[in-house]
Amino acid sequence: MKNQVVYVNSVKDPVKPSPGFAKKRLSTYKLDIMALCGFGCRYCSSNAGNYLRINRRPFAEETERQIGQRLLPAQEPSLTFEWPDVIVNLERQLERRRQAWGRGETLVFSMLTDGFSPRLVKAGTTRKILEMILERTSFRIRVLTKNAIVGSPQWLEFFAAHQDRFVVGLSIGTLSDDWARRIEVGTSLPSARLRALRKLQESGIPTYGMLCPIFPDVMEGGSLERLVDCISPHEVEHIWAEPYNDRVNWATVREGYDEETAGYRWFTETVDMRLSGIDPSIIRELSGIYKPFVKAFKELVSNA
Ligand code: SF4
């Protein structure tokens, strides 16, 4: 996918606390290095998050000014917002800190975007920033990405040289490459992500499982069990799993399914119910996707 790039004001301090991820025991700090991901997953919850919501109008105006069309993140998967001064601002932030900053803490790279977005990897920004964090702080770095490049020889060598500082995960919620092509626009396919995870594990680099997002149809027919098997549950440090967060993007995500499938039917029923004015919390209760999800997943992990 060729990105349509818009440059927006860089945040002053790129490293920030991550209370949401702290609750999930994923990280206590986060580092995003861009404003809108270079990938375009149609279910991405970041598009509805505070940062993009608050900046919706100025970013839309900037998009119109720079590329001649008023595109919005949720509408156009190829759109990406980059921070031209992210390295300079990180440098300034780190100048105010001691090298001991982050000892005993985990920093996730990244939380609202993918720090391995292809343009940033190609420009060397990703590598430069990771080197700065390694050299100038004491954080353990939790890489979270959908880019299988983390399993390439260059990146394996980089992570292997700092095994005590990295734990790497590739988020995956399906084994279907076809589905991912339609919905996880621009990302590495699930099969490639799994190959990358395997290479990381074979190289002795700490890894974790991130099964996310899980859609209700993955709960059926043994799909979740196969997914868990594919990440080698005995080799990862931990496994996290999250169901799909219901956002305004239901209908768009549904287009990734063939009409005859259980996934398409589930979305149709849910969207129809929502359009009928039924509160989403009641829909969740009715569909009952969370209880079986948690129960089945606990069983899987405890049996693994
Ligand atoms: S890779 Fe992650 S942050 Fe990027 S669009 Fe997909 S879900 Fe959103």
Side-chain angles (χ1 to χ4, degrees), residues 1 3 34 36-40 77-81 113-114 117-118 185-186:
M1 174 180 68
N3 282 125
M34 64 199 316
L36 175 64
C37 190
F39 298 130
S78 68
L79 191 62
T80 184
F81 297 156
T113 57
D114 195 316
S117 290
V185 183

Side-chain angles (χ1 to χ4, degrees), residues 33-50:
I33 61 173
M34 64 199 316
L36 175 64
C37 190
F39 298 130
C41 305
R42 307 316 308 272
Y43 53 70
C44 185
S45 55
S46 300
N47 296 335
N50 280 345

Side-chain angles (χ1 to χ4, degrees), residues 186-248:
T187 65
S188 302
L189 295 176
S191 55
R193 280 177 241 161
L194 288 169
R195 279 197 299 277
L197 186 68
R198 169 52 49 195
K199 283 185 188 158
L200 288 156
Q201 290 167 343
E202 287 169 354
S203 303
I205 295 155
T207 59
Y208 66 103
M210 177 56 86
L211 306 181
C212 164
I214 301 285
F215 288 90
D217 55 306
V218 175
M219 300 298 300
E220 293 172 7
S223 299
L224 183 63
E225 288 84 345
R226 284 194 290 280
L227 194 56
V228 171
D229 284 345
C230 285
I231 63 166
S232 307
H234 297 292
E235 302 213 23
V236 292
E237 282 186 1
H238 297 97
I239 301 174
W240 279 269
E242 284 198 32
Y244 166 63
N245 287 318
D246 53 329
R247 307 274 174 183
V248 287

Side-chain angles (χ1 to χ4, degrees), residues 8 11 24 38 102 122 132 139 184 223 236 247 304:
V8 299
V11 291
K24 300 174 188 177
K122 194 169 173 204
M132 288 167 76
F139 284 107
E184 297 177 327
S223 299
V236 292
R247 307 274 174 183

